[in-house]
């Protein structure tokens, strides 16, 4: 781990987080997880081309050939999670993106900040979210090319998500009156909850709705029996700061190493 990542004994380690992540997305974004040499695994998404959904974990230097072959056979650029910049030399022509895997203790809240702000919350169970959720999720980035990319690749995959054994899924939509304005997904497996798809309608951002929703879902995770909630975001962004305000802290700081030219708009 880098100096930016610290973990207490009670918090899940990197291996537990990655394994939970792969399990939670198996019914939606991830089409399959392919076993490789040693402890290597390759996560593949047939519907989403981005390197964040098509990457290897547990890879050593001897697995690079396997990674390149596995990715090429599926029309994907080679990418893998690594700890430390030395891994950049494993893949010729590679670049790296720093990620933050952040963890918070699941705990109840003493007040409902969404309700205090005059906002409503609807929670629904099941792998596929409803139309209100999909409408927000497809419009919570820039109102332009990134949203178009999400609408083209992510929304159709989410709309037909399938159940995964051992994983409970709860989708959240925030309403201002009749208008959906924010969304998020909570996946739970064992003692861990994963927070995904957090977004606020692009014209309603910077108003604190995402922070209020995040805190509310940390409490929901506690109510459902989880001990910790985790999420991922890019390092050094406003999202990292927002999640810090919600009680999350970085425990794992991997690099996503990918070949030059790999594309990820989300």
């Amino acid at each position: 781990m880098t100096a930016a990542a610290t973990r207490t004994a009670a918090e899940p380690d990197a291996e537990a987080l990655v394994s939970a992540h792969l399990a939670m997305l198996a019914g939606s974004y991830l089409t399959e997880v392919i076993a490789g040499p040693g402890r290597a695994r390759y996560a593949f998404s047939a519907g989403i081309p981005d390197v964040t959904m098509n990457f290897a974990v547990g890879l050593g230097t001897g697995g690079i050939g396997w990674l390149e072959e596995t990715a090429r056979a599926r029309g994907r650029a080679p990418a893998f999670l690594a700890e430390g910049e030395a891994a950049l030399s494993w893949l010729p022509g590679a670049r790296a993106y720093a990620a933050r895997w952040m963890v918070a203790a699941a705990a109840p809240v003493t007040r409902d900040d969404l309700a205090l702000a005059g906002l409503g919350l609807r929670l629904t169970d099941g792998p596929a979210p409803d139309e209100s959720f999909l409408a927000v999720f497809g419009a919570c980035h820039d109102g332009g090319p990134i949203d178009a990319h999400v609408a083209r690749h992510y929304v159709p995959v989410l709309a037909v998500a399938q159940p995964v054994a051992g994983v409970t899924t709860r989708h959240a939509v925030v309403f201002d009156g009749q208008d959906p304005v924010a969304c998020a997904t909570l996946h739970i497996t064992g003692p861990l909850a994963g927070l995904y798809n957090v977004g606020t309608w692009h014209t309603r951002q910077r108003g604190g709705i995402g922070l209020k929703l995040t805190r509310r879902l940390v409490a929901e995770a506690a109510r459902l029996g989880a001990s910790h909630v985790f999420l991922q975001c890019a390092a050094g962004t406003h999202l990292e700061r927002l999640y810090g305000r919600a009680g999350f802290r970085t425990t794992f700081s991997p690099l996503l190493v990918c070949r030059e030219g790999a594309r990820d708009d989300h």
Side-chain angles (χ1 to χ4, degrees), residues 167-237:
V167 177
T168 298
T169 299
R170 180 157 293 182
H171 298 288
V173 181
V174 176
F175 288 86
D176 185 356
Q178 299 298 312
D179 300 324
V181 294
C183 65
T185 299
L186 197 64
H187 296 295
I188 297 178
T189 181
L192 294 180
L195 187 59
Y196 294 87
N197 305 328
V198 181
T200 303
W201 199 283
H202 66 92
T203 60
R204 296 292 301 269
Q205 293 174 2
R206 309 292 180 176
I209 298 175
L211 178 61
K212 293 178 177 65
L213 176 58
T214 297
R215 287 173 171 160
R216 176 66 176 78
L217 290 183
V218 169
E220 184 67 13
R223 195 181 73 79
L224 294 174
S227 63
H228 291 86
V229 186
F230 73 94
L231 52 80
Q232 307 95 43
C233 66
T237 64

Side-chain angles (χ1 to χ4, degrees), residues 33 57 59-60 62 65 108 111 131 142 144 157 179 198 204 211 214 241-242 244:
V33 177
V57 297
L59 199 68
R111 65 181 190 181
E131 290 299 321
D142 62 348
V157 170
D179 300 324
V198 181
R204 296 292 301 269
L211 178 61
T214 297
R241 295 186 291 273
L242 180 148

Side-chain angles (χ1 to χ4, degrees), residues 2 29 33 45 53 67 90 92-93 104 111 113 136 147 164 173 214:
T2 69
Y29 293 144
V33 177
S45 175
M53 295 297 167
L67 166 62
W90 300 358
R111 65 181 190 181
D113 287 339
V136 175
D147 278 335
V164 176
V173 181
T214 297

Side-chain angles (χ1 to χ4, degrees), residues 21-226:
H21 175 65
L22 296 181
M24 290 172 179
L25 299 190
S28 55
Y29 293 144
L30 299 184
T31 305
E32 60 178 329
V33 177
I34 302 119
R39 299 170 64 186
R41 292 170 287 174
Y42 182 77
F44 168 64
S45 175
I48 301 171
D50 302 341
V51 292
T52 48
M53 295 297 167
N54 298 273
F55 62 93
V57 297
L59 199 68
T61 55
I64 289 297
W66 168 80
L67 166 62
E68 295 205 75
E69 180 181 344
T70 302
R72 186 185 309 113
R74 290 160 177 80
R76 298 291 182 253
F80 64 98
L81 283 186
E83 295 185 60
E85 294 185 0
L88 274 166
S89 65
W90 300 358
L91 188 64
R95 56 182 174 177
Y97 298 94
R100 296 287 186 260
W101 290 52
M102 306 179 75
V103 174
V109 292
T110 57
R111 65 181 190 181
D112 186 342
D113 287 339
L114 288 171
L116 289 172
L119 301 169
L121 177 67
R122 183 169 71 202
L123 299 172
T124 58
D125 292 333
D130 62 20
E131 290 299 321
S132 295
F133 182 107
L134 296 175
V136 175
F137 191 59
C140 65
H141 297 86
D142 62 348
I146 297 179
D147 278 335
H149 179 76
V150 171
R152 179 182 177 185
H153 296 289
Y154 288 76
V155 169
V157 170
L158 272 182
V160 296
Q162 298 298 307
V164 176
V167 177
T168 298
T169 299
R170 180 157 293 182
H171 298 288
V173 181
V174 176
F175 288 86
D176 185 356
Q178 299 298 312
D179 300 324
V181 294
C183 65
T185 299
L186 197 64
H187 296 295
I188 297 178
T189 181
L192 294 180
L195 187 59
Y196 294 87
N197 305 328
V198 181
T200 303
W201 199 283
H202 66 92
T203 60
R204 296 292 301 269
Q205 293 174 2
R206 309 292 180 176
I209 298 175
L211 178 61
K212 293 178 177 65
L213 176 58
T214 297
R215 287 173 171 160
R216 176 66 176 78
L217 290 183
V218 169
E220 184 67 13
R223 195 181 73 79
L224 294 174

Side-chain angles (χ1 to χ4, degrees), residues 244-262:
R245 291 170 58 197
F248 286 82
R249 58 191 214 86
T250 299
T251 64
F252 179 39
S253 293
L255 297 175
L256 179 61
V257 179
C258 62
R259 173 143 304 144
E260 200 64 50

